[in-house]
Amino acid sequence: MSMWKFVTKKRSPDDIVLRLPDPDNATNKDAADKMKAANTEIVNSLATVQSTTSTKRGVKRKASNNHYTPETRAKIAKYATEHGNVAAARKFSKDLQLDIKESAVRAMKKKYLVQSKESKHQPVNALTPEKRGRPLLLGDLDKDVGAHIGSIREAGGIVNQAIVIATARGLVRHKNPTLLSDAGGSIDITKTWAVSFLKRLGYVKRKGTKAARKLPDDFEHQKSEFHRIITETVTKYNVPPQLIFNFDQTGLKIVFVSTWTLELEGSKQVDIIGLEDKREITGLLGSTSDGCLLPPQILYQVKTDQCHAKYPFPSDWDVSHTESHWSNEQSMVRYIETVLVPYTDKVKEELDLPIRQQSESIAIFDVFRAHRCQEVLDALSKVRIQHVFIPAGCTGELQPMDLSVNGEFKAAMKNEFTNWYADMVAEDLKESNSINKVDLRLSVLKPLHAKWLSKVFHES
């Protein structure tokens, strides 16, 4: 805590009380001298600031238009109409203790005369200033979006950019879908707009604390060794690009709430309501070095197959479950047997490889615990798949799936959710002319999410 502070009285800028440390309380003479010198410097600095920034006594400060109420504006304008602009400026400068310019009075008088004429000379008791800045992107729909977001928060729901964008799109689609940019219109509802909108509502972004990722000190050396091992393995076994693959787990949100929510500004504690692991699944995505996506493994957090999404997944996908929805030793062995082996067998047959070459493929993956267990490494070795570990702490720079596929896949899934939510908003407005709470239960979203997975995968 600071040893001193300023206490400023409102009545006068000169009336400042300094609470500085007392040199008499110092433990020795040297400390007392230093304290005196510091106190003197503070007083001198403050005096300099006051002399250059404070107004002189008797001089009125210039008034901003924001200091006039609509009623005061009307009074000034009416007086100017009857007695002239200069007289009005002089009178109200004295009455309000403000430096009112004749030009400001002239503008008020002009607006007063216009309103008086429009009201057929009825008394004008208030003059509201013109709104400044750019017009709202959604116009009158802006308040409808705000009302819906407010009702979601009051009901304990999630408020985030995806929900805001989807709500806005739904309202515009209901009013006139041709206004949206993707239909050739002028309204482009973007992430930047959503952030600005939420700030206008008084929301602030609160993000969970997460340690910054730091590369190892010998990253360049580890990178060089990683590339060397891959090159040597490829050369040794003459492995074609179709049989060099990288796979990685990524969390796929069913409800896209991310790791943050938005709370009203000034809130000391943020409750993220509705977040639970069951609202996320794991997608084990893989890709070959020539850009071919491998069939994915989808893991739900359930106990039986009956709890999987009721959707006809492609036959070459592996859809399963684990206790936490993250991969474990058993699910990884299953992935090798149901995805990697069928894929490598198919490629070898298509390439018509010689017998001595048919045995080797290369799998590149990180040092996640489920990857490093002996059961998984033995399963890979059994089907003659060589493995190369990505150095720990380097996946963000060295793992192909992190550098390309995962991010694009998740962004496409989020876009599917946003479009669906917007459709639900537009449908509610069409049927009842009001926005009801969109049903985000797992029983509703699971089959939809599975449909989006299949669509995004086949469009990737």
Side-chain angles (χ1 to χ4, degrees), residues 184-304:
S186 60
I187 297 181
D188 187 15
I189 301 173
T190 64
K191 180 179 177 181
T192 302
W193 172 84
V195 171
S196 174
F197 178 83
L198 286 163
K199 286 182 178 179
R200 283 195 287 111
L201 288 186
Y203 286 80
V204 290
K205 187 174 181 181
R206 296 293 186 90
K207 197 164 186 175
T209 303
K210 189 176 182 181
R213 189 181 296 274
K214 184 180 179 182
L215 288 175
D217 293 336
D218 61 342
F219 169 71
E220 290 300 330
H221 172 71
Q222 292 198 44
K223 177 181 176 181
S224 177
E225 282 296 295
F226 173 65
H227 288 159
R228 182 188 63 78
I229 294 171
I230 294 176
T231 301
E232 289 183 356
T233 307
V234 171
T235 302
K236 179 178 179 180
Y237 298 104
N238 195 23
V239 183
Q242 296 92 326
L243 293 177
I244 305 171
F245 39 82
N246 169 232
F247 54 77
D248 182 42
Q249 290 83 0
T250 188
L252 298 171
K253 299 288 185 184
I254 296 179
V255 178
F256 292 86
V257 296
S258 189
T259 55
W260 53 268
T261 186
L262 290 145
E263 189 71 22
L264 285 174
E265 189 170 2
S267 300
K268 294 182 179 180
Q269 184 174 354
V270 177
D271 296 323
I272 303 181
I273 303 171
L275 282 180
E276 49 179 306
D277 287 344
K278 285 187 177 181
R279 300 176 77 88
E280 182 180 59
I281 67 171
T282 293
L284 180 49
L285 306 177
S287 174
T288 63
S289 64
D290 66 344
C292 176
L293 282 179
L294 302 179
Q297 181 185 66
I298 304 299
L299 296 176
Y300 288 93
Q301 184 190 8
V302 293
K303 295 182 178 180
T304 67

Side-chain angles (χ1 to χ4, degrees), residues 160-178:
N160 62 21
Q161 293 169 17
I163 297 296
V164 171
I165 292 172
T167 302
R169 286 181 181 174
L171 284 165
V172 176
R173 283 179 187 173
H174 170 70
K175 179 180 180 181
N176 186 354
T178 61

Side-chain angles (χ1 to χ4, degrees), residues 11-74:
R11 288 176 298 183
S12 170
D14 301 323
D15 212 356
I16 295 178
V17 178
L18 289 177
R19 297 180 180 176
L20 301 174
D22 188 353
D24 293 338
N25 295 331
T27 56
N28 54 60
K29 186 178 183 303
D30 183 54
D33 292 340
K34 291 179 180 179
M35 207 173 289
K36 286 180 181 178
N39 290 351
T40 301
E41 187 65 27
I42 291 171
V43 172
N44 292 340
S45 298
L46 182 61
T48 301
V49 171
Q50 286 183 334
S51 66
T52 57
T53 60
S54 298
T55 56
K56 296 180 181 178
R57 292 183 182 277
V59 177
K60 301 165 189 165
R61 59 187 173 86
K62 184 178 179 180
S64 165
N65 285 343
N66 293 332
H67 290 171
Y68 306 123
T69 64
E71 292 74 18
T72 300
R73 287 173 178 274

Side-chain angles (χ1 to χ4, degrees), residues 293-328:
L293 282 179
L294 302 179
Q297 181 185 66
I298 304 299
L299 296 176
Y300 288 93
Q301 184 190 8
V302 293
K303 295 182 178 180
T304 67
D305 292 352
Q306 296 300 316
C307 297
H308 296 176
K310 303 298 187 292
Y311 180 80
F313 288 100
S315 59
D316 57 348
W317 287 27
D318 179 34
V319 180
S320 187
H321 56 269
T322 63
E323 186 176 347
S324 66
H325 80 69
W326 288 107
S327 298
N328 56 28

